[in-house]
Amino acid sequence: MDFCWHLCYNLFMPKTKVQIRKEIRDILNSADEEELELQSKKICSTFLESRLYKESDAILSYMPMQKEASPLSITGAAIKDGKLLALPRVVPNTSNMDFYLIKKDLPLKSQLTKGAWNIEEPSPCCENFLSLAGKCKRITMIVPGVAFTKDGMRLGHGKGFYDIYIKRLLEEAGKVSAKVTLAGLCFDFQLLPFIPCEDHDARMDLIL
């Protein structure tokens, strides 16, 4: 990218989680929205051509915030290709969320409602994904984040939603021997050489 390179350079210096979140936010605020959308589509296109996508019978995706790396191309393809697709809904006033199945025979927008932070979430009528996890052999979860490292460490927004849910997902998948792949989705400037991490921070299997 050709914007805010001085901020990108500064991100390669060791920083606290708070500092990294602020600097990434500054870059995103300065970024061209159309360019970010183009990058998102390119990232998604590469994943959709991968063996991992083809072998996954379930995709856990998300509805992006403004200027966040967007998996909407993956979401649309999963519906079209007949895969199980689930999106997250936050439990109000907690650090918990669950993923809910999107029906293939209804328009996506008709199954969504505004939730926490004005992000679109599955409506209450959608079925909890974990109720059908036992039917899956391979689950790929597309995970958003503020920043990632090449070896899979992730920095989120600090609420713990994904770390908590990933632990539950892996436990449930383990009961039925389903393979789970955690795929972090980010722009190039969000891939850093170092992120402060703690024991409870989930590690990604790959970065898209």
Side-chain angles (χ1 to χ4, degrees), residues 45 113 125 152 174 176 185 192 200-201:
S45 178
T113 184
C125 65
V176 294
L185 180 62
L192 308 181
H200 64 265
D201 292 331

Side-chain angles (χ1 to χ4, degrees), residues 1 3 5 8 12 39 43 186-192:
M1 285 193 168
F3 56 85
W5 274 112
C8 294
F12 283 81
Q39 277 212 23
I43 297 167
C186 69
F187 299 118
D188 52 3
F189 58 83
Q190 292 175 289
L191 193 58
L192 308 181

Side-chain angles (χ1 to χ4, degrees), residues 21 26-27 29 32 62-63 68 89 94 128 141 158 169-170 178 180-181:
R21 290 187 182 108
D26 288 343
I27 294 174
N29 287 339
D32 179 79
Y62 63 91
M63 297 303 292
E68 184 174 44
R89 186 169 79 230
T94 73
N128 193 311
M141 184 179 197
L169 175 64
L170 293 176
V180 177
T181 299

Side-chain angles (χ1 to χ4, degrees), residues 11 14-25 155:
L11 286 171
K15 301 286 175 62
T16 66
K17 290 184 177 182
V18 172
Q19 288 173 319
I20 293 172
R21 290 187 182 108
K22 180 182 182 305
E23 293 185 356
I24 291 292
R25 185 169 60 248
L155 174 65

Side-chain angles (χ1 to χ4, degrees), residues 5-159:
W5 274 112
H6 62 288
L7 285 175
C8 294
Y9 175 80
N10 287 338
L11 286 171
F12 283 81
M13 302 299 290
K15 301 286 175 62
T16 66
K17 290 184 177 182
V18 172
Q19 288 173 319
I20 293 172
R21 290 187 182 108
K22 180 182 182 305
E23 293 185 356
I24 291 292
R25 185 169 60 248
D26 288 343
I27 294 174
L28 287 171
N29 287 339
S30 301
D32 179 79
E33 199 158 345
E34 290 186 2
E35 186 176 354
L36 294 181
E37 183 179 354
L38 180 60
Q39 277 212 23
S40 291
K41 289 180 178 179
K42 288 181 178 179
I43 297 167
C44 291
S45 178
T46 299
F47 172 70
L48 291 172
E49 294 171 0
S50 70
R51 180 177 177 180
L52 173 60
Y53 173 73
K54 292 177 173 62
E55 293 182 349
S56 296
D57 41 23
I59 300 290
L60 274 59
S61 188
Y62 63 91
M63 297 303 292
M65 297 185 291
Q66 186 177 17
K67 291 191 173 183
E68 184 174 44
S70 171
L72 290 180
S73 296
I74 297 172
T75 300
I79 295 174
K80 181 180 178 181
D81 294 338
K83 297 180 183 291
L84 288 178
L85 171 72
L87 300 173
R89 186 169 79 230
V90 170
V91 180
N93 304 313
T94 73
S95 291
N96 296 318
M97 68 178 179
D98 276 295
F99 278 71
Y100 292 85
L101 291 164
I102 298 300
K103 297 178 182 179
K104 291 172 280 191
D105 55 348
L106 293 175
L108 175 60
K109 286 291 185 180
S110 71
Q111 302 179 65
L112 302 177
T113 184
K114 292 291 184 181
W117 301 286
N118 208 35
I119 300 172
E120 291 182 308
E121 299 179 335
S123 63
C125 65
C126 295
E127 187 177 1
N128 193 311
F129 170 74
L130 290 181
S131 67
L132 289 180
K135 296 183 178 181
C136 302
K137 293 183 178 179
R138 184 148 197 175
I139 302 165
T140 295
M141 184 179 197
I142 310 299
V143 184
V146 174
F148 297 88
T149 62
K150 289 184 178 180
D151 62 352
M153 293 313 302
R154 170 183 176 271
L155 174 65
H157 292 281
K159 302 296 184 180

Side-chain angles (χ1 to χ4, degrees), residues 157-178:
H157 292 281
K159 302 296 184 180
F161 291 110
Y162 274 88
D163 291 321
I164 293 170
Y165 185 80
I166 286 171
K167 182 179 180 181
R168 289 175 55 208
L169 175 64
L170 293 176
E171 289 174 351
E172 291 300 316
K175 295 176 183 177
V176 294
S177 299

